[in-house]
Amino acid sequence: MTSTESTVHAQLLDCLQANLAVVADRHHGPDTHLALGAALRFRPAAGPDGLPTVEPSLDSHLADAERFLGLLVTDRWRDITPARLEALSAEHVELYVVADAYDLSWTPYYLQQHMEHSFLVRSCPAGAAITDAYRNQTPWGNAVPGRWEVDWAKLPTAGHVVALAPAATVPAATPIVDIADPAEYLDAYARHADRAAALHRLTLETWLLTRSRKLHAAFQARTGTDAVDEHLREWGLLTEQTYLAARRAERGRREPAGLLDRLGRALAADREVFGAAPNELRDTVAGIVAEVLGTTPERVLAEPELTLLPGFDSMRLVEIVARLEQQLDVEFDPDDLLPENLHHLDGLCRLGGA
């Protein structure tokens, strides 16, 4: 292993984001990757064992990389053998790879835990030159940013291989706070019969939620303020408590009371600390947008970047603004009618709630 001082804030990133961040900063400059924190989300989807999850998919991460980092997917492959990966590396110089961490010898998860994990790979005289910027503490040791040289044959079959290229410019990113009602999510974890499995999964959930909130605060340059720092500290303590509860459940011991209530309070506080629009206003605005575009409110809430919705154009935008003013009984300040305020659901909510 060659130790490397990662240029990215790896302590804020999950294992798929970390190496997208390396590519973004390399092409667009230091701290470009902090824009991955522009969108603060809580939109659970169906997950394993009948439990909902906030874990983003690879497709979601790649969409964010394009939207916020100016990284374009130029090619993509599935289930790639080491020999094929070597050939692709010769063609594309460096590739972004996602494989099972259980099979990656430089990670502490090697032969310990199955999970998707990313790395960058290029050819070198010794074989495959690996860059992995991920940082985390695990029960099997610490994952630290580094560079490794391994024989191509010792790499596993990769589930996903992606060729990335920089866009000409980095899109302007504005903060997005999209927090759904957590009631069903919390209820699913409360009712799950296998407490050890539920708390094991919830440990990952709270870890992901905590890192994403720290990343969002860093993107907004809002660390160092009392309210934000206290909120982030609460998320960190919640993650630690969840981990301890999971370990107790694994040993057949009773879990502490109030854990899920504490998670619910932390999610509610996200709105107060980071300025999310109330659910009622957000749902109303999404309904108006959906009516104009001929889609569903659920589709708008799932894709709050309105320019990505079918049918959105300048004519529809004028109609959306007119209906918002009429139905919300407000008159927007003409100086606020800027594209950066009108192309995203949160921007419309801010105008509608003013």
Side-chain angles (χ1 to χ4, degrees):
M1 181 190 88
T2 301
S3 178
T4 179
E5 278 298 319
S6 175
T7 61
V8 303
H9 298 266
Q11 75 281 5
L12 306 178
L13 306 167
D14 69 31
C15 60
L16 298 187
Q17 291 173 321
N19 295 301
L20 292 171
V22 171
V23 180
D25 282 15
R26 182 185 300 152
H27 289 299
H28 295 304
D31 288 346
T32 297
H33 69 280
L34 289 178
L36 285 172
L40 184 73
R41 302 184 179 101
F42 178 76
R43 286 281 164 186
D49 300 322
L51 291 166
T53 181
V54 296
E55 184 172 15
S57 66
L58 175 61
D59 286 343
S60 175
H61 278 308
L62 293 175
D64 280 353
E66 178 176 353
R67 184 183 308 177
F68 301 125
L69 304 184
L71 292 182
L72 308 177
V73 175
T74 59
D75 218 334
R76 186 170 174 179
W77 305 266
R78 291 289 308 272
D79 301 324
I80 298 301
T81 64
R84 176 64 173 144
L85 183 59
E86 181 179 8
L88 288 172
S89 180
E91 297 173 17
H92 294 273
V93 183
E94 184 174 64
L95 294 163
Y96 173 85
V97 181
V98 176
D100 190 342
Y102 187 89
D103 300 319
L104 302 179
S105 59
W106 62 88
T107 76
Y109 305 105
Y110 182 57
L111 303 181
Q112 298 290 343
Q113 183 172 329
H114 294 283
M115 57 181 284
E116 284 193 328
H117 189 86
S118 76
F119 59 94
L120 304 173
V121 66
R122 62 172 62 211
S123 294
C124 69
I130 305 295
T131 297
D132 188 348
Y134 183 59
R135 184 184 295 278
N136 192 28
Q137 294 179 322
T138 84
W140 312 284
N142 293 339
V144 296
R147 297 189 182 96
W148 296 261
E149 294 183 355
V150 301
D151 189 291
W152 284 104
K154 293 184 178 179
L155 291 175
T157 294
H160 303 268
V161 177
V162 180
L164 297 166
T169 59
V170 181
T174 56
I176 300 164
V177 181
D178 182 14
I179 309 295
D181 187 333
E184 291 186 9
Y185 176 88
L186 297 172
D187 186 58
Y189 280 91
R191 291 186 296 100
H192 198 271
D194 187 336
R195 300 312 300 156
L199 289 167
H200 177 75
R201 181 68 206 182
L202 195 63
T203 299
L204 174 60
E205 296 287 302
T206 55
W207 182 91
L208 288 166
L209 289 166
T210 299
R211 285 212 170 186
S212 64
R213 276 122 189 89
K214 290 180 177 179
L215 181 59
H216 185 70
F219 167 73
Q220 293 200 59
R222 291 181 62 181
T223 54
T225 65
D226 290 344
V228 171
D229 286 353
E230 181 58 31
H231 184 56
L232 297 179
R233 179 175 177 274
E234 171 60 18
W235 270 108
L237 293 172
L238 176 60
T239 301
E240 184 177 354
Q241 183 184 5
T242 308
Y243 175 70
L244 293 172
R247 297 304 299 268
R248 285 183 62 84
E250 288 171 3
R251 298 194 297 270
R253 297 188 177 183
R254 185 169 59 89
E255 64 191 84
L259 177 62
L260 290 169
D261 290 338
R262 187 176 189 179
L263 174 55
R265 289 193 299 271
L267 288 166
D270 281 341
R271 294 182 171 280
E272 301 170 15
V273 174
F274 295 118
N279 278 342
E280 184 177 352
L281 172 61
R282 188 178 182 82
D283 290 345
T284 298
V285 174
I288 294 170
V289 172
E291 187 177 347
V292 172
L293 298 183
T295 185
T296 65
E298 291 75 19
R299 175 72 186 278
V300 178
L301 290 166
E303 181 49 85
E305 185 70 40
L306 304 185
T307 57
L308 301 179
L309 291 169
F312 184 86
D313 56 27
S314 57
M315 293 181 64
R316 301 286 81 75
L317 180 58
V318 169
E319 186 177 352
I320 288 169
V321 169
R323 291 203 190 185
L324 285 172
E325 289 186 312
Q326 180 182 13
Q327 294 187 38
L328 297 178
D329 193 23
V330 297
E331 183 175 348
F332 297 150
D333 187 325
D335 292 339
D336 290 334
L337 299 179
L338 303 171
E340 54 264 37
N341 292 335
L342 304 176
H343 286 181
H344 198 281
L345 184 62
D346 284 300
L348 293 177
C349 289
R350 282 192 291 273
L351 293 178

